[in-house]
PDB file of all heavy atoms in Angstrom:
ATOM      1  N   PHE A 354     -23.949  10.113  -8.962  1.00 98.00           N
ATOM      2  CA  PHE A 354     -23.789  11.552  -8.767  1.00 98.00           C
ATOM      3  C   PHE A 354     -23.113  12.074 -10.034  1.00 98.00           C
ATOM      4  O   PHE A 354     -21.988  11.702 -10.350  1.00 98.00           O
ATOM      5  CB  PHE A 354     -22.924  11.801  -7.533  1.00 98.00           C
ATOM      6  CG  PHE A 354     -22.579  13.241  -7.251  1.00 98.00           C
ATOM      7  CD1 PHE A 354     -23.321  14.294  -7.763  1.00 98.00           C
ATOM      8  CD2 PHE A 354     -21.502  13.541  -6.418  1.00 98.00           C
ATOM      9  CE1 PHE A 354     -23.002  15.614  -7.476  1.00 98.00           C
ATOM     10  CE2 PHE A 354     -21.171  14.857  -6.126  1.00 98.00           C
ATOM     11  CZ  PHE A 354     -21.915  15.891  -6.649  1.00 98.00           C
ATOM     12  N   ILE A 386     -14.983  15.052  -1.802  1.00 98.00           N
ATOM     13  CA  ILE A 386     -16.298  14.673  -1.262  1.00 98.00           C
ATOM     14  C   ILE A 386     -16.144  14.123   0.149  1.00 98.00           C
ATOM     15  O   ILE A 386     -15.365  13.199   0.390  1.00 98.00           O
ATOM     16  CB  ILE A 386     -16.976  13.621  -2.160  1.00 98.00           C
ATOM     17  CG1 ILE A 386     -17.273  14.208  -3.548  1.00 98.00           C
ATOM     18  CG2 ILE A 386     -18.269  13.112  -1.519  1.00 98.00           C
ATOM     19  CD1 ILE A 386     -17.867  13.213  -4.525  1.00 98.00           C
ATOM     20  N   ASP A 387     -16.909  14.691   1.087  1.00 96.00           N
ATOM     21  CA  ASP A 387     -16.991  14.179   2.460  1.00 96.00           C
ATOM     22  C   ASP A 387     -18.462  13.907   2.750  1.00 96.00           C
ATOM     23  O   ASP A 387     -19.214  14.815   3.114  1.00 96.00           O
ATOM     24  CB  ASP A 387     -16.424  15.214   3.436  1.00 96.00           C
ATOM     25  CG  ASP A 387     -16.439  14.719   4.876  1.00 96.00           C
ATOM     26  OD1 ASP A 387     -16.739  13.532   5.109  1.00 96.00           O
ATOM     27  OD2 ASP A 387     -16.163  15.530   5.782  1.00 96.00           O
ATOM     28  N   PRO A 388     -18.915  12.662   2.592  1.00 95.00           N
ATOM     29  CA  PRO A 388     -20.354  12.370   2.700  1.00 95.00           C
ATOM     30  C   PRO A 388     -20.989  12.745   4.034  1.00 95.00           C
ATOM     31  O   PRO A 388     -22.098  13.273   4.055  1.00 95.00           O
ATOM     32  CB  PRO A 388     -20.413  10.857   2.456  1.00 95.00           C
ATOM     33  CG  PRO A 388     -19.231  10.572   1.592  1.00 95.00           C
ATOM     34  CD  PRO A 388     -18.160  11.484   2.120  1.00 95.00           C
ATOM     35  N   ASP A 389     -20.307  12.471   5.158  1.00 93.00           N
ATOM     36  CA  ASP A 389     -20.940  12.744   6.442  1.00 93.00           C
ATOM     37  C   ASP A 389     -20.482  14.055   7.065  1.00 93.00           C
ATOM     38  O   ASP A 389     -20.940  14.428   8.148  1.00 93.00           O
ATOM     39  CB  ASP A 389     -20.744  11.587   7.423  1.00 93.00           C
ATOM     40  CG  ASP A 389     -19.272  11.281   7.699  1.00 93.00           C
ATOM     41  OD1 ASP A 389     -18.403  12.083   7.276  1.00 93.00           O
ATOM     42  OD2 ASP A 389     -19.000  10.246   8.329  1.00 93.00           O
ATOM     43  N   GLY A 390     -19.566  14.758   6.419  1.00 93.00           N
ATOM     44  CA  GLY A 390     -19.203  16.097   6.862  1.00 93.00           C
ATOM     45  C   GLY A 390     -18.439  16.171   8.164  1.00 93.00           C
ATOM     46  O   GLY A 390     -18.411  17.230   8.803  1.00 93.00           O
ATOM     47  N   TYR A 396     -12.883  11.739   0.192  1.00 97.00           N
ATOM     48  CA  TYR A 396     -12.454  11.214  -1.104  1.00 97.00           C
ATOM     49  C   TYR A 396     -11.974  12.343  -2.011  1.00 97.00           C
ATOM     50  O   TYR A 396     -12.521  13.444  -2.010  1.00 97.00           O
ATOM     51  CB  TYR A 396     -13.616  10.482  -1.785  1.00 97.00           C
ATOM     52  CG  TYR A 396     -14.223   9.385  -0.938  1.00 97.00           C
ATOM     53  CD1 TYR A 396     -15.208   9.681   0.005  1.00 97.00           C
ATOM     54  CD2 TYR A 396     -13.808   8.070  -1.066  1.00 97.00           C
ATOM     55  CE1 TYR A 396     -15.773   8.690   0.790  1.00 97.00           C
ATOM     56  CE2 TYR A 396     -14.366   7.068  -0.287  1.00 97.00           C
ATOM     57  CZ  TYR A 396     -15.347   7.376   0.644  1.00 97.00           C
ATOM     58  OH  TYR A 396     -15.895   6.397   1.425  1.00 97.00           O
ATOM     59  N   ILE A 456     -20.323   9.390 -10.776  1.00 98.00           N
ATOM     60  CA  ILE A 456     -19.708   8.753  -9.612  1.00 98.00           C
ATOM     61  C   ILE A 456     -20.749   7.889  -8.929  1.00 98.00           C
ATOM     62  O   ILE A 456     -21.787   8.390  -8.478  1.00 98.00           O
ATOM     63  CB  ILE A 456     -19.169   9.806  -8.631  1.00 98.00           C
ATOM     64  CG1 ILE A 456     -18.144  10.706  -9.335  1.00 98.00           C
ATOM     65  CG2 ILE A 456     -18.549   9.141  -7.416  1.00 98.00           C
ATOM     66  CD1 ILE A 456     -17.628  11.844  -8.466  1.00 98.00           C
ATOM     67  N   PRO A 457     -20.543   6.581  -8.847  1.00 97.00           N
ATOM     68  CA  PRO A 457     -21.564   5.706  -8.255  1.00 97.00           C
ATOM     69  C   PRO A 457     -21.654   5.875  -6.743  1.00 97.00           C
ATOM     70  O   PRO A 457     -20.640   5.941  -6.042  1.00 97.00           O
ATOM     71  CB  PRO A 457     -21.074   4.297  -8.625  1.00 97.00           C
ATOM     72  CG  PRO A 457     -19.599   4.447  -8.816  1.00 97.00           C
ATOM     73  CD  PRO A 457     -19.374   5.830  -9.346  1.00 97.00           C
ATOM     74  N   TRP A 458     -22.877   5.939  -6.250  1.00 96.00           N
ATOM     75  CA  TRP A 458     -23.070   6.056  -4.806  1.00 96.00           C
ATOM     76  C   TRP A 458     -22.445   4.873  -4.068  1.00 96.00           C
ATOM     77  O   TRP A 458     -21.936   5.032  -2.948  1.00 96.00           O
ATOM     78  CB  TRP A 458     -24.562   6.110  -4.471  1.00 96.00           C
ATOM     79  CG  TRP A 458     -25.318   7.236  -5.077  1.00 96.00           C
ATOM     80  CD1 TRP A 458     -26.369   7.139  -5.948  1.00 96.00           C
ATOM     81  CD2 TRP A 458     -25.118   8.640  -4.874  1.00 96.00           C
ATOM     82  NE1 TRP A 458     -26.829   8.383  -6.301  1.00 96.00           N
ATOM     83  CE2 TRP A 458     -26.084   9.332  -5.653  1.00 96.00           C
ATOM     84  CE3 TRP A 458     -24.226   9.385  -4.112  1.00 96.00           C
ATOM     85  CZ2 TRP A 458     -26.173  10.717  -5.678  1.00 96.00           C
ATOM     86  CZ3 TRP A 458     -24.311  10.775  -4.140  1.00 96.00           C
ATOM     87  CH2 TRP A 458     -25.267  11.420  -4.906  1.00 96.00           C
ATOM     88  N   TYR A 461     -19.142   4.837  -2.122  1.00 92.00           N
ATOM     89  CA  TYR A 461     -19.002   5.494  -0.831  1.00 92.00           C
ATOM     90  C   TYR A 461     -19.759   4.788   0.279  1.00 92.00           C
ATOM     91  O   TYR A 461     -19.934   5.335   1.365  1.00 92.00           O
ATOM     92  CB  TYR A 461     -19.489   6.945  -0.933  1.00 92.00           C
ATOM     93  CG  TYR A 461     -18.729   7.774  -1.934  1.00 92.00           C
ATOM     94  CD1 TYR A 461     -19.380   8.739  -2.692  1.00 92.00           C
ATOM     95  CD2 TYR A 461     -17.364   7.600  -2.138  1.00 92.00           C
ATOM     96  CE1 TYR A 461     -18.688   9.517  -3.608  1.00 92.00           C
ATOM     97  CE2 TYR A 461     -16.664   8.362  -3.056  1.00 92.00           C
ATOM     98  CZ  TYR A 461     -17.334   9.317  -3.787  1.00 92.00           C
ATOM     99  OH  TYR A 461     -16.649  10.080  -4.695  1.00 92.00           O
ATOM    100  N   LYS A 462     -20.213   3.580   0.023  1.00 86.00           N
ATOM    101  CA  LYS A 462     -20.923   2.839   1.059  1.00 86.00           C
ATOM    102  C   LYS A 462     -19.985   2.460   2.201  1.00 86.00           C
ATOM    103  O   LYS A 462     -18.826   2.125   1.993  1.00 86.00           O
ATOM    104  CB  LYS A 462     -21.528   1.546   0.474  1.00 86.00           C
ATOM    105  CG  LYS A 462     -22.789   1.754  -0.337  1.00 86.00           C
ATOM    106  CD  LYS A 462     -23.373   0.404  -0.739  1.00 86.00           C
ATOM    107  CE  LYS A 462     -24.688   0.559  -1.480  1.00 86.00           C
ATOM    108  NZ  LYS A 462     -25.289  -0.742  -1.813  1.00 86.00           N
ATOM    109  N   GLU A 467     -26.136  -0.747   3.102  1.00 86.00           N
ATOM    110  CA  GLU A 467     -26.446   0.681   3.091  1.00 86.00           C
ATOM    111  C   GLU A 467     -26.856   1.144   1.701  1.00 86.00           C
ATOM    112  O   GLU A 467     -26.199   0.841   0.711  1.00 86.00           O
ATOM    113  CB  GLU A 467     -25.213   1.471   3.560  1.00 86.00           C
ATOM    114  CG  GLU A 467     -25.430   2.968   3.632  1.00 86.00           C
ATOM    115  CD  GLU A 467     -24.143   3.696   3.988  1.00 86.00           C
ATOM    116  OE1 GLU A 467     -23.073   3.064   3.978  1.00 86.00           O
ATOM    117  OE2 GLU A 467     -24.207   4.894   4.248  1.00 86.00           O
ATOM    118  N   ASN A 469     -27.196   4.500   0.833  1.00 90.00           N
ATOM    119  CA  ASN A 469     -26.213   5.565   0.620  1.00 90.00           C
ATOM    120  C   ASN A 469     -26.575   6.526  -0.505  1.00 90.00           C
ATOM    121  O   ASN A 469     -25.702   7.069  -1.167  1.00 90.00           O
ATOM    122  CB  ASN A 469     -24.818   4.983   0.357  1.00 90.00           C
ATOM    123  CG  ASN A 469     -23.716   6.008   0.586  1.00 90.00           C
ATOM    124  OD1 ASN A 469     -23.764   6.740   1.554  1.00 90.00           O
ATOM    125  ND2 ASN A 469     -22.754   6.076  -0.311  1.00 90.00           N
ATOM    126  N   VAL A 470     -27.841   6.739  -0.756  1.00 96.00           N
ATOM    127  CA  VAL A 470     -28.276   7.752  -1.717  1.00 96.00           C
ATOM    128  C   VAL A 470     -28.800   8.939  -0.903  1.00 96.00           C
ATOM    129  O   VAL A 470     -29.805   8.809  -0.214  1.00 96.00           O
ATOM    130  CB  VAL A 470     -29.367   7.206  -2.656  1.00 96.00           C
ATOM    131  CG1 VAL A 470     -29.831   8.285  -3.615  1.00 96.00           C
ATOM    132  CG2 VAL A 470     -28.853   5.993  -3.424  1.00 96.00           C
ATOM    133  N   PRO A 471     -28.142  10.086  -0.973  1.00 96.00           N
ATOM    134  CA  PRO A 471     -28.462  11.198  -0.053  1.00 96.00           C
ATOM    135  C   PRO A 471     -29.661  12.036  -0.495  1.00 96.00           C
ATOM    136  O   PRO A 471     -29.585  13.259  -0.588  1.00 96.00           O
ATOM    137  CB  PRO A 471     -27.172  12.012  -0.059  1.00 96.00           C
ATOM    138  CG  PRO A 471     -26.620  11.806  -1.433  1.00 96.00           C
ATOM    139  CD  PRO A 471     -26.952  10.382  -1.789  1.00 96.00           C
ATOM    140  N   LYS A 474     -30.791  15.292   1.296  1.00 97.00           N
ATOM    141  CA  LYS A 474     -29.715  15.502   2.263  1.00 97.00           C
ATOM    142  C   LYS A 474     -28.585  16.260   1.567  1.00 97.00           C
ATOM    143  O   LYS A 474     -28.582  16.408   0.357  1.00 97.00           O
ATOM    144  CB  LYS A 474     -29.189  14.162   2.797  1.00 97.00           C
ATOM    145  CG  LYS A 474     -30.229  13.361   3.568  1.00 97.00           C
ATOM    146  CD  LYS A 474     -29.642  12.043   4.034  1.00 97.00           C
ATOM    147  CE  LYS A 474     -30.668  11.204   4.779  1.00 97.00           C
ATOM    148  NZ  LYS A 474     -30.115   9.895   5.195  1.00 97.00           N
ATOM    149  N   HIS A 475     -27.627  16.715   2.351  1.00 97.00           N
ATOM    150  CA  HIS A 475     -26.485  17.403   1.768  1.00 97.00           C
ATOM    151  C   HIS A 475     -25.182  16.696   2.098  1.00 97.00           C
ATOM    152  O   HIS A 475     -25.073  16.017   3.122  1.00 97.00           O
ATOM    153  CB  HIS A 475     -26.411  18.866   2.250  1.00 97.00           C
ATOM    154  CG  HIS A 475     -26.033  19.023   3.701  1.00 97.00           C
ATOM    155  ND1 HIS A 475     -26.971  19.108   4.707  1.00 97.00           N
ATOM    156  CD2 HIS A 475     -24.821  19.112   4.304  1.00 97.00           C
ATOM    157  CE1 HIS A 475     -26.361  19.233   5.870  1.00 97.00           C
ATOM    158  NE2 HIS A 475     -25.053  19.240   5.662  1.00 97.00           N
ATOM    159  N   TRP A 476     -24.228  16.833   1.212  1.00 98.00           N
ATOM    160  CA  TRP A 476     -22.854  16.395   1.422  1.00 98.00           C
ATOM    161  C   TRP A 476     -21.939  17.603   1.323  1.00 98.00           C
ATOM    162  O   TRP A 476     -22.283  18.597   0.666  1.00 98.00           O
ATOM    163  CB  TRP A 476     -22.441  15.358   0.366  1.00 98.00           C
ATOM    164  CG  TRP A 476     -22.959  13.971   0.625  1.00 98.00           C
ATOM    165  CD1 TRP A 476     -23.840  13.564   1.585  1.00 98.00           C
ATOM    166  CD2 TRP A 476     -22.607  12.783  -0.109  1.00 98.00           C
ATOM    167  NE1 TRP A 476     -24.067  12.207   1.500  1.00 98.00           N
ATOM    168  CE2 TRP A 476     -23.323  11.701   0.465  1.00 98.00           C
ATOM    169  CE3 TRP A 476     -21.766  12.525  -1.193  1.00 98.00           C
ATOM    170  CZ2 TRP A 476     -23.209  10.389  -0.004  1.00 98.00           C
ATOM    171  CZ3 TRP A 476     -21.656  11.223  -1.663  1.00 98.00           C
ATOM    172  CH2 TRP A 476     -22.361  10.160  -1.075  1.00 98.00           C
ATOM    173  N   ARG A 477     -20.770  17.523   1.976  1.00 98.00           N
ATOM    174  CA  ARG A 477     -19.756  18.554   1.813  1.00 98.00           C
ATOM    175  C   ARG A 477     -18.906  18.194   0.592  1.00 98.00           C
ATOM    176  O   ARG A 477     -18.341  17.096   0.499  1.00 98.00           O
ATOM    177  CB  ARG A 477     -18.884  18.672   3.060  1.00 98.00           C
ATOM    178  CG  ARG A 477     -19.639  19.007   4.328  1.00 98.00           C
ATOM    179  CD  ARG A 477     -20.434  20.304   4.247  1.00 98.00           C
ATOM    180  NE  ARG A 477     -19.623  21.489   4.030  1.00 98.00           N
ATOM    181  CZ  ARG A 477     -19.093  22.234   5.009  1.00 98.00           C
ATOM    182  NH1 ARG A 477     -19.289  21.891   6.282  1.00 98.00           N
ATOM    183  NH2 ARG A 477     -18.390  23.323   4.731  1.00 98.00           N
ATOM    184  N   VAL A 478     -18.812  19.138  -0.332  1.00 98.00           N
ATOM    185  CA  VAL A 478     -18.165  18.903  -1.627  1.00 98.00           C
ATOM    186  C   VAL A 478     -17.376  20.153  -2.008  1.00 98.00           C
ATOM    187  O   VAL A 478     -17.783  21.269  -1.691  1.00 98.00           O
ATOM    188  CB  VAL A 478     -19.226  18.601  -2.723  1.00 98.00           C
ATOM    189  CG1 VAL A 478     -18.567  18.471  -4.094  1.00 98.00           C
ATOM    190  CG2 VAL A 478     -20.020  17.346  -2.376  1.00 98.00           C
ATOM    191  N   ASN A 479     -16.264  19.961  -2.686  1.00 98.00           N
ATOM    192  CA  ASN A 479     -15.591  21.094  -3.301  1.00 98.00           C
ATOM    193  C   ASN A 479     -14.922  20.635  -4.589  1.00 98.00           C
ATOM    194  O   ASN A 479     -14.715  19.438  -4.812  1.00 98.00           O
ATOM    195  CB  ASN A 479     -14.566  21.738  -2.374  1.00 98.00           C
ATOM    196  CG  ASN A 479     -14.443  23.240  -2.617  1.00 98.00           C
ATOM    197  OD1 ASN A 479     -14.957  23.784  -3.598  1.00 98.00           O
ATOM    198  ND2 ASN A 479     -13.744  23.922  -1.728  1.00 98.00           N
ATOM    199  N   TRP A 512     -14.277  26.143  -6.526  1.00 98.00           N
ATOM    200  CA  TRP A 512     -15.684  26.529  -6.472  1.00 98.00           C
ATOM    201  C   TRP A 512     -15.965  27.295  -5.174  1.00 98.00           C
ATOM    202  O   TRP A 512     -16.418  28.436  -5.196  1.00 98.00           O
ATOM    203  CB  TRP A 512     -16.565  25.287  -6.569  1.00 98.00           C
ATOM    204  CG  TRP A 512     -18.011  25.535  -6.275  1.00 98.00           C
ATOM    205  CD1 TRP A 512     -18.800  26.525  -6.811  1.00 98.00           C
ATOM    206  CD2 TRP A 512     -18.850  24.810  -5.377  1.00 98.00           C
ATOM    207  NE1 TRP A 512     -20.077  26.453  -6.296  1.00 98.00           N
ATOM    208  CE2 TRP A 512     -20.138  25.409  -5.420  1.00 98.00           C
ATOM    209  CE3 TRP A 512     -18.650  23.702  -4.559  1.00 98.00           C
ATOM    210  CZ2 TRP A 512     -21.208  24.939  -4.663  1.00 98.00           C
ATOM    211  CZ3 TRP A 512     -19.715  23.219  -3.809  1.00 98.00           C
ATOM    212  CH2 TRP A 512     -20.976  23.830  -3.857  1.00 98.00           C
ATOM    213  N   TRP A 526     -15.412  23.271   2.866  1.00 98.00           N
ATOM    214  CA  TRP A 526     -15.949  22.938   1.552  1.00 98.00           C
ATOM    215  C   TRP A 526     -17.390  23.430   1.413  1.00 98.00           C
ATOM    216  O   TRP A 526     -18.043  23.831   2.385  1.00 98.00           O
ATOM    217  CB  TRP A 526     -15.901  21.433   1.326  1.00 98.00           C
ATOM    218  CG  TRP A 526     -14.497  20.893   1.254  1.00 98.00           C
ATOM    219  CD1 TRP A 526     -13.330  21.607   1.199  1.00 98.00           C
ATOM    220  CD2 TRP A 526     -14.107  19.521   1.244  1.00 98.00           C
ATOM    221  NE1 TRP A 526     -12.250  20.765   1.149  1.00 98.00           N
ATOM    222  CE2 TRP A 526     -12.696  19.480   1.173  1.00 98.00           C
ATOM    223  CE3 TRP A 526     -14.813  18.324   1.269  1.00 98.00           C
ATOM    224  CZ2 TRP A 526     -11.985  18.279   1.140  1.00 98.00           C
ATOM    225  CZ3 TRP A 526     -14.119  17.125   1.239  1.00 98.00           C
ATOM    226  CH2 TRP A 526     -12.714  17.110   1.171  1.00 98.00           C
ATOM    227  N   GLY A 527     -17.874  23.392   0.185  1.00 98.00           N
ATOM    228  CA  GLY A 527     -19.234  23.801  -0.094  1.00 98.00           C
ATOM    229  C   GLY A 527     -20.255  22.741   0.289  1.00 98.00           C
ATOM    230  O   GLY A 527     -19.915  21.654   0.778  1.00 98.00           O
ATOM    231  N   TYR A 528     -21.517  23.079   0.062  1.00 98.00           N
ATOM    232  CA  TYR A 528     -22.643  22.194   0.367  1.00 98.00           C
ATOM    233  C   TYR A 528     -23.362  21.846  -0.931  1.00 98.00           C
ATOM    234  O   TYR A 528     -23.757  22.745  -1.682  1.00 98.00           O
ATOM    235  CB  TYR A 528     -23.635  22.879   1.302  1.00 98.00           C
ATOM    236  CG  TYR A 528     -23.118  23.162   2.685  1.00 98.00           C
ATOM    237  CD1 TYR A 528     -22.271  24.241   2.925  1.00 98.00           C
ATOM    238  CD2 TYR A 528     -23.481  22.365   3.763  1.00 98.00           C
ATOM    239  CE1 TYR A 528     -21.805  24.513   4.206  1.00 98.00           C
ATOM    240  CE2 TYR A 528     -23.022  22.624   5.048  1.00 98.00           C
ATOM    241  CZ  TYR A 528     -22.179  23.703   5.254  1.00 98.00           C
ATOM    242  OH  TYR A 528     -21.723  23.966   6.522  1.00 98.00           O
ATOM    243  N   VAL A 529     -23.546  20.550  -1.165  1.00 98.00           N
ATOM    244  CA  VAL A 529     -24.380  20.110  -2.282  1.00 98.00           C
ATOM    245  C   VAL A 529     -25.595  19.404  -1.693  1.00 98.00           C
ATOM    246  O   VAL A 529     -25.461  18.401  -0.985  1.00 98.00           O
ATOM    247  CB  VAL A 529     -23.622  19.180  -3.241  1.00 98.00           C
ATOM    248  CG1 VAL A 529     -24.564  18.670  -4.337  1.00 98.00           C
ATOM    249  CG2 VAL A 529     -22.435  19.914  -3.867  1.00 98.00           C
ATOM    250  N   TYR A 530     -26.768  19.954  -1.985  1.00 98.00           N
ATOM    251  CA  TYR A 530     -28.029  19.387  -1.505  1.00 98.00           C
ATOM    252  C   TYR A 530     -28.673  18.611  -2.645  1.00 98.00           C
ATOM    253  O   TYR A 530     -28.867  19.138  -3.748  1.00 98.00           O
ATOM    254  CB  TYR A 530     -28.954  20.503  -1.043  1.00 98.00           C
ATOM    255  CG  TYR A 530     -30.314  20.031  -0.590  1.00 98.00           C
ATOM    256  CD1 TYR A 530     -30.480  19.389   0.635  1.00 98.00           C
ATOM    257  CD2 TYR A 530     -31.442  20.230  -1.387  1.00 98.00           C
ATOM    258  CE1 TYR A 530     -31.729  18.954   1.054  1.00 98.00           C
ATOM    259  CE2 TYR A 530     -32.691  19.800  -0.973  1.00 98.00           C
ATOM    260  CZ  TYR A 530     -32.831  19.164   0.249  1.00 98.00           C
ATOM    261  OH  TYR A 530     -34.067  18.734   0.663  1.00 98.00           O
ATOM    262  N   PHE A 531     -29.003  17.343  -2.387  1.00 98.00           N
ATOM    263  CA  PHE A 531     -29.533  16.455  -3.415  1.00 98.00           C
ATOM    264  C   PHE A 531     -31.065  16.425  -3.313  1.00 98.00           C
ATOM    265  O   PHE A 531     -31.642  15.633  -2.580  1.00 98.00           O
ATOM    266  CB  PHE A 531     -28.932  15.057  -3.265  1.00 98.00           C
ATOM    267  CG  PHE A 531     -27.434  15.044  -3.432  1.00 98.00           C
ATOM    268  CD1 PHE A 531     -26.585  15.144  -2.330  1.00 98.00           C
ATOM    269  CD2 PHE A 531     -26.862  14.975  -4.694  1.00 98.00           C
ATOM    270  CE1 PHE A 531     -25.213  15.144  -2.484  1.00 98.00           C
ATOM    271  CE2 PHE A 531     -25.488  14.977  -4.862  1.00 98.00           C
ATOM    272  CZ  PHE A 531     -24.663  15.077  -3.752  1.00 98.00           C
ATOM    273  N   PHE A 542     -32.474  25.400  -0.149  1.00 98.00           N
ATOM    274  CA  PHE A 542     -31.588  24.772   0.831  1.00 98.00           C
ATOM    275  C   PHE A 542     -30.960  25.857   1.681  1.00 98.00           C
ATOM    276  O   PHE A 542     -30.506  26.881   1.171  1.00 98.00           O
ATOM    277  CB  PHE A 542     -30.487  23.956   0.141  1.00 98.00           C
ATOM    278  CG  PHE A 542     -29.388  23.526   1.085  1.00 98.00           C
ATOM    279  CD1 PHE A 542     -29.620  22.525   2.008  1.00 98.00           C
ATOM    280  CD2 PHE A 542     -28.137  24.148   1.066  1.00 98.00           C
ATOM    281  CE1 PHE A 542     -28.628  22.135   2.901  1.00 98.00           C
ATOM    282  CE2 PHE A 542     -27.140  23.756   1.939  1.00 98.00           C
ATOM    283  CZ  PHE A 542     -27.381  22.747   2.860  1.00 98.00           C
TER     284      PHE A 542
END
Side-chain angles (χ1 to χ4, degrees):
F354 176 21
I386 296 177
D387 182 8
D389 59 10
Y396 305 85
I456 302 176
W458 300 119
Y461 300 144
K462 283 186 176 183
E467 182 185 11
N469 199 43
V470 178
K474 297 179 181 178
H475 70 268
W476 282 7
R477 301 302 298 270
V478 175
N479 212 349
W512 169 49
W526 294 351
Y528 294 78
V529 176
Y530 177 74
F531 298 94
F542 168 73

